[in-house]
Amino acid sequence: DYQEGIRQLGPLADYIVINISSPNTPGLVGLQKREPLRRLLKAAMETRNEVCSAAAEGVTDHENEPNSHRRRHYCPPLLVKISPDLTEEEMVDIAEAVMDCGVDGMVVCNTTQARPDSLVDTSEYEKGQEGGLSGAPLRERSTDCIRTMYRLTGGN
């Protein structure tokens, strides 16, 4: 599915995000393990590069051709979006897979399934609600994730 999505939508995209963190998608957490993620990212990068090569083959020097500027310089970056609910070991696995596969960047981080003790029921947040929590209650955890992933990737 990821590869077909990249083939169909890659030529139209400004960037491509492989989201391995959707808290509401059953089974998606399995993609946060090193080998399954490495296989997924390798296939996604190969497909993205095929899309870029196909776009490059259509390049012309005609300035008046529609989209000629975009086609000449086009190759959408591929990013991986991760969860703030990861353990240090899972972050190590993800960092290694991302670096090994040459992924262009990361989105750190998505919403959380956690409900911090500091969370107060308001019209915006409810401790008992299901699904991903975002915003101010996630600030400290997401900042920690950014620091950790920066350290694990050497800032690359």
Side-chain angles (χ1 to χ4, degrees):
D1 290 347
Y2 285 99
Q3 288 176 286
E4 189 58 26
I6 293 168
R7 280 188 200 97
Q8 296 296 318
L9 301 173
L12 307 172
D14 290 322
Y15 58 91
I16 299 165
V17 178
I18 303 293
N19 183 358
I20 60 167
S21 66
S22 176
N24 300 316
T25 305
L28 197 61
V29 294
L31 292 178
Q32 295 173 3
K33 304 289 184 219
R34 184 178 307 167
E35 285 312 311
L37 181 58
R38 187 174 283 143
R39 286 191 302 272
L40 169 63
L41 295 180
K42 183 177 183 234
M45 288 296 290
E46 287 172 358
T47 304
R48 191 280 310 258
N49 292 341
E50 290 169 14
V51 167
C52 294
S53 295
E57 289 175 13
V59 170
T60 68
D61 291 326
H62 303 290
E63 290 182 23
N64 295 327
E65 181 179 314
N67 299 319
S68 65
H69 175 75
R70 180 176 173 117
R71 285 177 33 200
R72 191 173 322 156
H73 302 286
Y74 177 72
C75 193
L78 191 137
L79 313 171
V80 175
K81 188 174 188 180
I82 65 168
S83 167
D85 301 327
L86 299 168
T87 65
E88 175 88 13
E89 182 180 336
E90 290 168 326
M91 285 194 256
V92 167
D93 284 352
I94 291 169
E96 288 180 7
V98 163
M99 301 286 285
D100 289 349
C101 295
V103 169
D104 299 301
M106 299 181 72
V107 178
V108 182
C109 50
N110 199 356
T111 58
T112 182
Q113 288 288 81
R115 296 297 183 264
D117 291 335
S118 61
L119 184 65
V120 177
D121 285 342
T122 67
S123 60
E124 187 176 0
Y125 305 112
E126 292 183 36
K127 278 191 164 193
Q129 78 184 40
E130 292 188 25
L133 178 67
S134 63
L138 184 56
R139 182 177 182 181
E140 187 176 328
R141 179 62 188 146
S142 64
T143 302
D144 288 344
C145 287
I146 292 167
R147 272 191 209 102
T148 300
M149 292 311 292
Y150 184 87
R151 177 178 49 82
L152 293 172
T153 62
N156 294 321

